[in-house]
Amino acid sequence: MIEAAKDVLRGNDMGDFTKPGPNQYPHQWNWDSALIALGLSFFDIPRALLEMRSLLNGQWLNGMLPHVVYHGHETDYFPNPGFWKIETSRYAPSIHTSGITQPPLLAIILRKIHETFNIPDFVREAFPQLMSWHRWLHDDRDADNSGLVCIVHPWESGTDDSPRWLEILGGIDPSGLEAFARGDTHYVDVDERPYPHDYQRFIYLIDLFRRSAYDQGTIIADSPFLVQDVLFNAILYRADKDLQALGDVIGEDTSVIEGWIRRMEAGFNRRFWDDDAGLYYDFDVRHQRKIQISTGITFLPLFAGLTSPEQAERLIHEHYQHPKHYAVDNQVKYHLTSASKDLQGWDPRRYWRGPVWILLNWLVYHGLLDYGYTREAAGLCADSLALMSKSGFREYYDPRDGTGCGSERFSWSAALAIDWLS
Ligand code: DGY
């Protein structure tokens, strides 16, 4: 299985970056790339460092690390580099990138690679760029001075069409948007991709941002989508801690990072924990309301170490193991469905509406282990490996029968299989 996984990473290798999927995702994606570097590190350290370096080459002058770096390759992917018009921003880099960011996994992954393979020189090289990305997030994306950061586009959550975003998207009027042609349904069945209604609003938001020249103050003031996402904040908190540890390795002053960590600790549970439901809910900053939708993201504070043992117990007993919500049963044979089974509109084959994702399983697996749920963790690892050996390294899987969906030969599934099996 490790050889088959390496073969996927080699097949998607473009020389200085790795495509998440051969046809569906032909450029370099931010959080995919971090996970790909982790997979590569087990058999080719120089190539793993190059992967991270190529991603960091797309960094904006204000520190933002964009969600896609195009590296000048011509493809049929939409939105193409020209669509973003990033040159309207005085902070845009000289290479083509998107104009939004993605969950900041890179510091977490770099620490993992360093702890296994001891790469202090690369830590020294990457640290200032990671610092400036995290600083940008804490400075430019803290819309309400709470210490928590906002995302302004569903693509920044990495869980594009998650049921968490539907109400906000439904309230956006996209009229005036010029016609465009989707590129994401050429290689993947339309029933496994976001609905046209949602996709149109994804593009509407990009159009809004490019018209404001990616000025973050304007975007925070104007974007109809302005959300404190549990996933993004949990990942950032953990990434800040790992960045601090990396700073200590190379003798940097990390007191600024300490400040970010303390503020997030003070605000996280107050904002996201719902004691009635026993769940973490995202917060819609624009409309000042909780987003009361249960998805697999509610387990991410376990990965971050942000939940108390009592809260963890409620998450596991009342939700993860509950027959109505996330438990496996006669119908759903594999953990972890990306949305609660009893959610209206649960769709086990459509993108983030229900399928199992290997990354979500891997993050929750580590959280379960950290909190002592070893049996559940072992089950989640076993389910993930079973899905990949049954149906190959797919982008996501139908939790009922384990058949694959989305892109074939998906890089992060392969990379995380290598991590698990190594
Ligand atoms: C896509 O192209 O659908 C991606 O998820 C956006 O990053």
Side-chain angles (χ1 to χ4, degrees):
M1 193 167 182
I2 291 179
E3 284 311 311
K6 283 186 190 172
D7 194 56
V8 166
L9 294 183
R10 287 201 193 95
N12 289 336
D13 189 344
M14 296 295 285
D16 49 3
F17 74 94
T18 305
K19 298 183 285 187
N23 302 310
Q24 184 75 356
Y25 303 108
H27 303 283
Q28 186 175 32
W29 265 258
N30 185 327
W31 69 338
D32 294 75
S33 186
L35 298 164
I36 288 163
L38 176 63
L40 290 169
S41 70
F42 289 100
F43 62 98
D44 191 344
I45 279 281
R47 184 63 190 76
L49 304 191
L50 179 60
E51 187 71 29
M52 293 187 274
R53 206 173 268 133
S54 298
L55 176 64
L56 289 166
N57 277 342
Q59 186 163 41
W60 285 36
L61 303 180
N62 57 4
M64 183 182 77
L65 201 60
H67 103 294
V68 177
V69 184
Y70 288 95
H71 294 295
H73 296 265
E74 291 288 322
T75 70
D76 58 359
Y77 177 75
F78 176 83
N80 54 33
F83 188 84
W84 292 91
K85 295 193 176 35
I86 62 166
E87 62 284 356
T88 54
S89 167
R90 64 182 185 281
Y91 299 120
S94 53
I95 60 174
H96 282 302
T97 73
S98 72
I100 56 175
T101 192
Q102 229 175 9
L105 271 184
L106 190 57
I108 299 171
I109 298 301
L110 179 56
R111 182 179 182 193
K112 268 182 98 66
I113 297 177
H114 173 70
E115 286 188 343
T116 314
F117 298 104
N118 192 34
I119 46 165
D121 290 344
F122 187 79
V123 171
R124 210 165 283 118
E125 175 187 329
F127 184 83
Q129 284 188 271
L130 286 166
M131 227 9 232
S132 82
W133 183 21
H134 288 214
R135 191 189 299 280
W136 175 81
L137 288 168
H138 287 287
D139 287 355
D140 281 24
R141 286 298 185 81
D142 183 350
D144 58 0
N145 202 25
S146 61
L148 303 169
V149 303
C150 287
I151 57 170
V152 298
H153 194 293
W155 287 356
E156 290 197 322
S157 76
T159 64
D160 309 0
D161 70 336
S162 174
R164 305 182 288 153
W165 313 143
L166 300 187
E167 191 177 349
I168 305 177
L169 291 175
I172 295 176
D173 172 9
S175 51
L177 179 64
E178 276 178 32
F180 62 91
R182 279 176 77 161
D184 65 309
T185 49
H186 297 154
Y187 304 105
V188 171
D189 196 304
V190 67
D191 294 336
E192 297 172 12
R193 293 293 304 174
Y195 284 104
H197 173 278
D198 300 332
Y199 205 89
Q200 197 181 26
R201 281 148 185 86
F202 298 158
I203 302 305
Y204 171 83
L205 287 168
I206 297 174
D207 183 51
L208 191 69
F209 303 160
R210 64 183 184 176
R211 282 190 278 117
S212 58
Y214 298 97
D215 178 74
Q216 295 300 310
T218 311
I219 290 173
I220 298 272
D222 292 352
S223 175
F225 188 95
L226 185 70
V227 168
Q228 286 161 345
D229 168 13
V230 170
L231 178 153
F232 201 102
N233 281 280
I235 298 272
L236 178 59
Y237 172 79
R238 171 69 188 265
D240 279 344
K241 290 200 122 176
D242 289 339
L243 188 60
Q244 187 176 38
L246 291 169
D248 291 342
V249 165
I250 55 169
E252 288 283 337
D253 175 2
T254 58
S255 48
V256 174
I257 308 177
E258 181 68 22
W260 297 335
I261 291 169
R262 294 286 156 254
R263 297 195 67 213
M264 292 195 92
E265 274 168 0
F268 192 93
N269 278 286
R270 204 178 314 138
R271 171 108 308 164
F272 297 128
W273 176 253
D274 186 295
D275 205 45
D276 294 334
L279 286 169
Y280 286 95
Y281 286 138
D282 312 281
F283 189 73
D284 175 350
V285 176
R286 176 63 67 230
H287 305 99
Q288 289 293 302
R289 62 185 178 215
K290 282 183 188 176
I291 302 172
Q292 292 176 297
I293 299 284
S294 172
T295 70
I297 300 312
T298 196
F299 303 110
L300 265 282
L302 296 166
F303 173 76
L306 273 163
T307 196
S308 71
E310 294 73 30
Q311 289 168 316
E313 190 61 14
R314 291 195 63 191
L315 286 171
I316 302 307
H317 268 114
E318 295 172 27
H319 302 280
Y320 192 88
Q321 297 171 332
H322 194 290
K324 272 205 199 132
H325 305 312
Y326 295 93
V328 289
D329 56 24
N330 287 340
Q331 200 208 357
V332 165
K333 305 225 164 37
Y334 299 89
H335 266 121
L336 169 70
T337 60
S338 48
S340 178
K341 293 181 290 178
D342 65 342
L343 212 60
Q344 205 195 350
W346 184 70
D347 188 341
R349 296 188 70 81
R350 191 182 296 274
Y351 216 39
W352 286 95
R353 298 285 179 92
V356 175
W357 285 75
I358 298 300
L359 169 63
L360 184 58
N361 279 13
W362 186 83
L363 293 167
V364 175
Y365 161 83
H366 283 286
L368 290 168
L369 271 191
D370 290 347
Y371 280 83
Y373 293 93
T374 45
R375 198 162 42 92
E376 286 74 12
L380 200 47
C381 173
D383 279 4
S384 307
L385 294 174
L387 286 168
M388 291 188 275
S389 57
K390 177 183 159 80
S391 301
F393 301 102
R394 296 296 299 266
E395 189 179 1
Y396 39 100
Y397 300 86
D398 186 329
R400 299 166 303 181
D401 59 6
T403 50
C405 313
S407 174
E408 293 183 353
R409 297 179 69 79
F410 195 64
S411 294
W412 87 24
S413 301
L416 293 175
I418 296 172
D419 179 65
W420 255 316
L421 294 168
S422 302

